[in-house]
Amino acid sequence: MAETITLADIKTDEKSWWCPGCGDFGVLAALQKAVVDLQIAPHQMVMVAGIGCSGKIGNYINSYNIHVVHGRTLPTAMGVKLANRGLTVLAVGGDGDGFAIGMGHFIHACRRNVDVTYLTMDNHIYGLTKGQNSPTSDRGAKVKTAPEGSIEAPVRPLQMALASGATWVGQGFSSNQAELVELIKSAIGHRGFSFLNVISPCVTYNKVNTYAWYKEVLHTLKADAAYRTDDRQAAMGRAMETEELVTGLLFEDRDAVAYEDQVAGYRDEPLTEQSLDLSAAEWEDVLAELR
Amino acid sequence: MGELGWKIGGDQGEGIDSTGDVVATVACRLGYHIYGYKSFSSRIKGGHTHYKVRIADHPVRAASPHSEVLVALTQETIDKNVAEVRSGGAVVADAAFSPALPEGSKLTLISIPMAQIARQIGNPLTRNMVAVGASVALLHLPMEAFSAYVAEKFAAKGEQTVRQNLSALQEGHAAALAQMPDGLAMQLPKVAPSKRLLITGNQAVALGAVRAGCRIMAAYPITPATDIMEQLVTLLPRFGGVVCQMEDEIAAITLVVGASYAGVRAMTATSGPGFSLMQEGMGLAASAEVPAVIVDCQRAGPSTGMPTKNEQSDIMAAIFGGHGGAARVVLAPGTPEQAYRDIGHAFNLAESYHLPVIVASDLSLGEWLQTIDDLPLSDISIERGPLVSAAELEAPDAAFSRYQVTASGVSPRSLPGQAKGQYLATGVEHLPSGKVSEDPKNRQLEMDKRERKLVTLSQLECGTEYVGPKQPDLLVITFGSTVGPVDEAIAMAESSASVGRLQIRRLWPFPTSEVLLAAAAAGAILFVEQNAQGQLSQLAEMSGLHHPRTTHLRRYDGTLFLPAEILSAIMSGRQLATTEGVS
Ligand SMILES: Cc1ncc(C[n+]2csc(CCOP(=O)(O)OP(=O)(O)O)c2C)c(N)n1
Ligand code: SF4
Ligand SMILES: [Mg+2]
């Protein structure tokens, strides 16, 4: 029998680079707990992290990690998954990483439905570059690059994902550990692309969207017993009505077929396990078509 | 030695390509050598386009400036191309547009109501097949071979289509025979049927990739690299692989990084602006030491440039592009056979040295059909580079360090799924373990380690291919598809025995000692390349080549290099060597 995975297996000895109180600590803790609950062996998991304070999360998780360039977690994660479909693949990054520079990839990842979990740590600010406007910054937010207040409408990631065909869409709050752990587990368990936006306050640069503020305005779908998670239109409606100040699983399509299960000729056995070499007969077959 | 040139011209969208392919394919099967050159523009309908097939009883590696038969589907085709038809040649035209040759022309005009014949057959699309039939008569080629191919080509479209095309072929043949004057003899020497392959460089790249075990290809469509993706879309699924059409080239290169990191051979192919977009991703591969294979099928730039015209102007970008100085290898094939082998080589180098390997081909190589003898399975072997074994990872005293500093600069890698092989691969500067670090000493060690791979690589031989005497009067230095017309030019030179040709096969790390040795033995040097800046000669200069008698021939107007113009540059280059050599 395989050994039991404990918290110690999934942690690294790297000291934290985040400011005390940063929401990202909560995301890390919930992710570690979820991985232990799911008993995912560290070597069977690949985390693809973006650039930002959030992207440093990979430094603290003892799995296979690849820390890519700003905004490019999703195509990299797709490459990892297609290469070895036996792995659990997570992409993680900030709101700037995912919804500004990486927005193109985000939409296309939603519509492709590769079995990857995308976890964003949304603090409505650019943390690592010290406090500029983010695509999710509220209209009117006074930030370094918008001293008079942001004049742009914020991106709505949940609606974006729903409109783009994502088959699992949810939102968590880094302070609500119990709910967040369940959401991460459900997202990882979903066969297809799962998008989990996690509200993860930046205590240093975002003085508007603070823990206290969120606790006031956020409400969880758990409180609404009548809410059904299999209705894309209802999910869209809820996200709009609440201006996305809602947590929980918004939408899940359990019948969706993952990209990998639709690719012609793609086998169940991971590509990494298959032989690369061709026989003389196979090669002659290929060339025969050109003669 | 004998050869003939056949050309078809008309408006874009009139099936010029597939008609040319029919003539090229059958002539190849008959045993002739082919070079097929298409001129096209960046639009789908309208505008003059033409396709020229050079048919010879000997190997041909460039387009020729002449033709013997011109098939004209429009008057514009005649006006634009008639000058290249050699005396004694013929123009076959559709009677529908009342074709006229220029006043005083001594060429034979064969005017056939092609469109009308096609309509009578009941399938207007067979018009071009009437033209093929007429061409077969003019070129004195055996009809049976064409009939057999046409039957095979249209078999999937049903019996009726086959019959219609065969009729068109025969009627065109008969109509031309009826009009052909007696003296019109365009006869190719007899050759034995062959099993040669008729392929483009792009096809050779795709085949090389399949052979080399590439199983994931990600790309974004762009002329002239798209064919590679389209070829692989049909090939890879047969071997369990997949082609991903991505949202842009940034996604394509980063998908390749992800797939390679996970242990599959993956590649992308692009051109021009797409190559610029890939620079950051290639930097990531260099820094995180992830293998990546990138084909840059070069076209005229900068920016959108001339998307359908050849150029070799990306080599500086391939070598030095992107920020921060990222170690990479750049290979430059000049023939389909080289393209095939280079892809195999590229995967082996990428996985042995853990860095991006760029295969810099170009539009002429990528798009034009050529006959080649074979693509032997054994020309490519698979070497996966240093991979750490399960036993090594499980050993009681194991201390796996992914970025361990080594003499060669290469350190073993583990693959996701291997127990105890976990590490952080990152574009951020890191310690041997992969942990991020800005420690100055470590930075220097890790940077030096990555750079050392280039030193190791530069010692590999085969950075150049030389043909010629030990001490040539003139050494022609070139690369990529330009090697074809250069070789033909040298063969044309009366004094070819005193001319040497050095093809740079590996642009980076530059094969400095091979080039300097070859240059030292030469009386003069002529650089032939297709870019405005003389990027190859600059590279050679940077590497220490300073020959007192150096001349240059550059083309960057989008038209083809023809052997004849290279020949005249060779003549003047030689003169330089001999006159100054005496003084
Ligand atoms: C191509 C590129 N452009 C800009 C940057 C600089 N940069 C680093 S992180 C970042 C934004 C980070 O914001 P976010 O993604 O929200 O992450 P956070 O730090 O808030 O977690 C930027 C612009 C970069 N690293 N790469
Ligand atoms: S700057 Fe903000 S996001 Fe970054 S670590 Fe500090 S609190 Fe967290
Ligand atoms: Mg942020």
Side-chain angles (χ1 to χ4, degrees), chain A residues 13 42-43 64-67 69 72 75-76 79-80 82 105 108 112 265 271-272 276-277 283 286 289-291, chain B residues 29 195 207 211 215 238 240 247 250 255 258-259 261-262 340 375 415 417-418 421-426 435:
Chain A
D13 55 8
H43 64 275
Y64 278 92
N65 281 287
I66 175 162
H67 193 193
V69 283
R72 316 301 171 197
T76 310
V80 172
L82 291 179
H105 309 309
H108 293 280
R112 284 193 187 108
L271 267 174
T272 43
L276 302 188
D277 234 330
W283 186 238
V286 169
E289 285 154 34
L290 293 162
R291 294 196 207 270
Chain B
R29 287 183 175 187
K195 284 257 167 212
L207 291 165
R211 167 62 190 103
R215 293 295 176 264
R238 291 165 57 174
E247 53 275 22
I250 299 174
L255 188 148
Y261 169 75
Y340 171 73
L375 294 178
L415 300 180
Q418 273 188 301
Q422 299 97 283
Y423 70 100
L424 171 66
T426 172
K435 271 190 194 173

Side-chain angles (χ1 to χ4, degrees), chain B residues 315-478:
Chain B
I315 66 175
M316 289 298 188
I319 298 170
F320 303 114
H323 63 282
R328 76 266 306 255
V329 177
V330 185
L331 306 177
T335 65
E337 293 97 325
Q338 290 178 347
Y340 171 73
R341 287 196 300 267
D342 279 7
I343 290 295
H345 200 190
F347 278 106
N348 288 344
L349 291 176
E351 287 198 323
S352 298
Y353 292 85
H354 306 157
L355 40 60
V357 179
I358 296 154
V359 178
S361 82
D362 53 52
L363 184 143
S364 290
L365 171 59
E367 298 261 334
W368 314 146
L369 280 171
Q370 297 182 50
T371 34
I372 59 164
D373 284 340
D374 200 7
L375 294 178
L377 187 75
S378 58
D379 273 11
I380 291 179
S381 61
I382 297 177
E383 292 147 31
R384 305 228 44 195
L387 289 167
V388 62
S389 70
E392 287 167 305
L393 289 171
E394 298 284 356
D397 55 346
F400 172 64
S401 258
R402 171 66 189 91
Y403 301 106
Q404 184 192 334
V405 176
T406 60
S408 65
V410 191
S411 12
R413 68 178 176 132
S414 58
L415 300 180
Q418 273 188 301
K420 303 201 170 139
Q422 299 97 283
Y423 70 100
L424 171 66
T426 172
V428 180
E429 193 53 272
H430 42 264
L431 297 171
S433 65
K435 271 190 194 173
V436 301
S437 165
E438 291 182 348
D439 174 69
K441 243 213 195 108
N442 176 72
R443 154 70 173 184
Q444 209 158 328
L445 280 172
E446 282 292 326
M447 186 55 123
D448 290 348
K449 159 192 145 61
R450 294 188 293 264
E451 288 290 312
R452 222 159 31 241
K453 295 193 264 189
L454 292 181
V455 178
T456 316
L457 274 157
S458 68
Q459 285 149 8
L460 295 182
E461 288 185 356
C462 321
T464 61
E465 278 181 30
Y466 178 72
V467 183
K470 279 213 166 73
Q471 293 189 313
D473 287 348
L474 178 72
L475 177 69
V476 183
I477 305 184
T478 189

Side-chain angles (χ1 to χ4, degrees), chain A residues 94-96 121 123-127:
Chain A
D95 39 309
M121 295 142 91
N123 52 16
H124 293 14
I125 198 90
Y126 280 17

Side-chain angles (χ1 to χ4, degrees), chain B residues 7 42 44 59 61 193 396 418 429 468 524 532:
Chain B
K7 186 179 209 174
S42 196
I44 304 305
R61 296 176 50 208
Q418 273 188 301
E429 193 53 272

Side-chain angles (χ1 to χ4, degrees), chain A residues 5-230:
Chain A
I5 312 295
T6 66
L7 208 53
D9 296 318
I10 207 81
K11 284 185 164 168
T12 67
D13 55 8
E14 183 76 278
K15 69 169 192 334
S16 160
W17 296 47
W18 290 318
C19 309
C22 174
D24 295 352
F25 284 106
V27 181
L28 174 64
L31 179 58
Q32 288 172 331
K33 173 117 191 357
V35 169
V36 170
D37 285 358
L38 293 171
Q39 287 291 295
I40 301 170
H43 64 275
Q44 297 290 4
M45 179 168 122
V46 175
M47 279 239 306
V48 183
I51 300 295
C53 295
S54 42
K56 296 194 195 298
I57 191 166
N59 303 8
Y60 316 128
I61 295 214
N62 175 32
S63 62
Y64 278 92
N65 281 287
I66 175 162
H67 193 193
V68 295
V69 283
H70 193 31
R72 316 301 171 197
T73 57
L74 289 171
T76 310
M78 178 173 171
V80 172
K81 186 71 190 184
L82 291 179
N84 186 346
R85 63 190 303 179
L87 300 168
T88 298
V89 183
L90 271 90
V92 274
D95 39 309
D97 196 85
F99 315 133
I101 193 164
M103 180 57 109
H105 309 309
F106 175 49
I107 288 171
H108 293 280
C110 290
R111 53 181 275 272
R112 284 193 187 108
N113 203 33
V114 177
D115 187 9
V116 160
T117 296
Y118 184 33
L119 194 158
T120 42
M121 295 142 91
D122 185 357
N123 52 16
H124 293 14
I125 198 90
Y126 280 17
L128 192 63
T129 45
K130 303 187 193 294
Q132 299 80 17
N133 203 5
S134 137
T136 50
S137 292
D138 295 331
R139 204 189 267 278
K142 290 193 170 149
V143 290
K144 277 195 186 149
T145 45
E148 305 298 325
S150 171
I151 55 172
E152 297 172 359
V155 161
R156 298 296 192 202
L158 304 175
Q159 292 167 60
M160 210 76 190
L162 287 165
S164 308
T167 56
W168 190 105
V169 180
Q171 181 157 267
F173 180 30
S174 73
S175 291
N176 188 343
Q177 283 287 301
E179 184 190 47
L180 185 53
V181 171
E182 286 317 306
L183 283 167
I184 295 174
K185 283 159 65 178
S186 164
I188 292 177
H190 176 70
R191 195 175 169 97
F193 183 72
S194 45
F195 169 56
L196 176 59
N197 192 50
V198 185
I199 292 163
S200 176
C202 169
V203 294
T204 305
Y205 296 109
N206 191 334
K207 304 295 184 194
V208 183
N209 311 109
T210 58
Y211 288 103
W213 182 81
Y214 276 117
K215 281 184 179 142
E216 192 96 337
V217 297
L218 276 180
H219 66 94
T220 166
L221 287 169
K222 274 245 167 74
D224 182 352
Y227 186 81
R228 293 181 50 147
T229 57
D230 60 354

Side-chain angles (χ1 to χ4, degrees), chain A residues 85 260 263 265-271 274-275, chain B residues 237-241:
Chain A
R85 63 190 303 179
E260 309 85 285
V263 172
Y266 191 71
R267 303 170 188 155
D268 288 340
E269 186 190 22
L271 267 174
Q274 296 174 30
S275 156
Chain B
R238 291 165 57 174
F239 304 100

